[in-house]
């Protein structure tokens, strides 16, 4: 059965400091791949793998000063997403650690409801799941 993590009990840390107002965290791992072809055949015989990168987005209610600073200064940081099902000690949890992150872009939006949201797009050298 799948484990359902709760956003209300999960947290995001940037360089060890908690980030408030997190609405969502999404990431994907992309690995370059090249097919090795057989001469005289239309089928591949092997696959060669290359660079692996991590691309992600963090959506914050209003704004996150720590991420704004990293974007302005073009400095790297570490980020940890701690996912939890509940607050109990025995509740399932999972942690994603992102190493050597850089904020690539920032998108700001405020709708008619009056609540601002900022989307920070980041890259990381690697992600570790614990």
């Amino acid at each position: 059965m799948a484990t359902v993590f709760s956003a209300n009990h999960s947290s995001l840390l940037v360089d060890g400091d908690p980030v408030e107002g997190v609405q969502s965290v999404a990431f994907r791992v992309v690995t370059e791949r090249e097919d090795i072809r057989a001469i005289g055949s239309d089928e591949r015989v092997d696959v060669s793998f290359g660079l692996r990168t991590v691309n992600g987005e963090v959506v914050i209610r209003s704004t996150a000063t720590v991420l704004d600073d990293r974007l302005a200064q073009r400095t790297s940081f570490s980020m940890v997403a701690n996912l939890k099902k509940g607050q109990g000690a025995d509740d399932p949890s999972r942690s994603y650690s992102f190493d050597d992150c850089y904020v690539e872009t920032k998108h700001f939006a405020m709708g008619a409801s009056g609540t601002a949201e900022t989307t920070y797009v980041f890259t990381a050298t690697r992600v570790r799941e614990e």
Side-chain angles (χ1 to χ4, degrees), residues 37-94:
R37 302 170 188 223
I39 296 175
S41 173
D42 59 355
E43 295 180 349
R44 74 175 185 201
V45 294
D46 203 354
V47 178
S48 175
F49 294 99
L51 178 67
R52 176 175 288 171
T53 58
V54 180
N55 303 311
E57 291 185 355
V58 177
V59 179
I60 306 289
R61 181 68 42 106
S62 291
T63 189
T65 305
V66 65
L67 294 174
D68 288 335
D69 292 345
R70 296 303 186 277
L71 176 61
Q73 298 169 4
R74 299 178 190 159
T75 55
S76 68
F77 58 95
S78 64
M79 187 166 56
V80 178
N82 293 310
L83 309 180
K84 296 181 181 178
K85 182 175 182 177
Q87 293 197 16
D90 294 335
D91 285 337
S93 65
R94 179 169 292 165

Side-chain angles (χ1 to χ4, degrees), residues 109-125:
M110 185 163 53
S113 66
T115 302
E117 282 190 342
T118 304
T119 301
Y120 297 92
V121 177
F122 70 92
T123 60
T125 301

